[in-house]
Amino acid sequence: MSFWDTLALPWQAAFTQAWEANCAGSLPIGVVVIQENEIIATGRNRISEMYGINQYIAGNSLAHAELNALIQLPDDLDGQNVHLYTTLEPCPLCAGAIRMMHVENVHYAARAQSSGTAELLQKHPYISRGITVYPVQNAILENISLTLLLHAYLVADFGLSAVESHEKTFPKAATLALSAFDSGSIRQLVNARADAKTVLNSLAASLEN
């Protein structure tokens, strides 16, 4: 069984969104919202794209994956049985948006070293009200998410310091991101129009070696 096949459907869908964001030149962060085991909204980071589609935000610093998923939800959503899955720990902007849309369950695949605010979702008197947070459950998935993110920073030509800052806490992700950037392996997957399954299986194999 491949690594991809071990993942629950929400994670497969969220990382599909993240890979689409990466291929479009935005940060590789993806989100899905699940209710009663069905996907009711998807979103991906679109900060580096010129145009949005339908209700999506694009082309500015507010075009976060969580926001692009949350704006598809109705204002009267009963969030008790709603689960948001994101490939990266929500930032303060997204934590507030999750609270405002009454989504009561939040899962994240990877910790965000500088911008992650899961603590707000767990402890802040207002934002944490009624929210259950499910932290990182899969170390390989976390390293894959961070590898893609750090690689995107390197591609954007402003990320070496960001990679170096992750070397102590996430050495595998930092090393793999640098290696993939130097070899061009992730760029080759983009050019080949590889799907998310192929990408995650490839990165998982590299991390396990």
Side-chain angles (χ1 to χ4, degrees):
M1 179 180 293
S2 71
F3 175 75
W4 176 268
D5 293 329
T6 68
L7 300 177
L9 176 61
W11 287 126
Q12 292 180 348
F15 274 88
T16 295
Q17 291 291 315
W19 181 241
E20 288 179 3
N22 183 88
C23 293
S26 291
L27 294 179
I29 304 168
V31 169
V32 296
V33 182
I34 306 288
Q35 185 175 39
E36 304 298 338
N37 297 317
E38 292 187 7
I39 296 175
I40 60 172
T42 63
R44 63 175 175 81
N45 188 283
R46 294 173 180 262
I47 61 173
S48 297
E49 298 165 56
M50 293 299 294
Y51 303 103
I53 301 173
N54 298 328
Q55 295 182 348
Y56 292 125
I57 305 168
N60 63 66
S61 58
L62 295 178
H64 289 204
E66 290 89 343
L67 293 188
N68 273 320
L70 292 169
I71 58 176
Q72 300 174 52
L73 302 177
D75 287 336
D76 60 353
L77 178 74
D78 179 0
Q80 184 174 1
N81 294 314
V82 175
H83 292 254
L84 182 146
Y85 290 77
T86 176
T87 61
L88 188 69
E89 182 182 355
C91 71
L93 171 70
C94 296
I98 288 167
R99 172 65 180 88
M100 296 305 294
M101 292 305 296
H102 309 292
V103 173
E104 295 189 1
N105 301 279
V106 178
H107 309 249
Y108 60 94
R111 290 164 286 174
Q113 184 163 278
S114 59
S115 62
T117 53
E119 187 172 353
L120 280 177
L121 292 167
Q122 295 171 298
K123 296 181 179 181
H124 190 278
Y126 176 74
I127 294 178
S128 67
R129 191 182 307 167
I131 294 178
T132 300
V133 178
Y134 301 82
V136 175
Q137 301 292 318
N138 187 318
I140 295 177
L141 197 62
E142 177 174 51
N143 276 290
I144 288 173
S145 178
L146 292 173
T147 295
L148 290 171
L149 182 67
L150 295 176
H151 181 269
Y153 289 160
L154 290 169
V155 170
D157 201 27
F158 63 82
L160 185 57
S161 61
V163 175
E164 291 173 343
S165 72
H166 282 72
E167 286 179 341
K168 183 176 181 180
T169 309
F170 304 105
K172 289 185 177 180
T175 298
L176 184 54
L178 286 168
S179 174
F181 181 73
D182 290 340
S183 68
S185 59
I186 291 179
R187 174 54 57 187
Q188 290 170 11
L189 290 168
V190 172
N191 293 339
R193 298 185 179 181
D195 59 15
K197 178 178 180 178
T198 300
V199 174
L200 264 67
N201 283 339
S202 175
L203 292 175
S206 296
L207 288 163
E208 290 170 346
N209 290 334

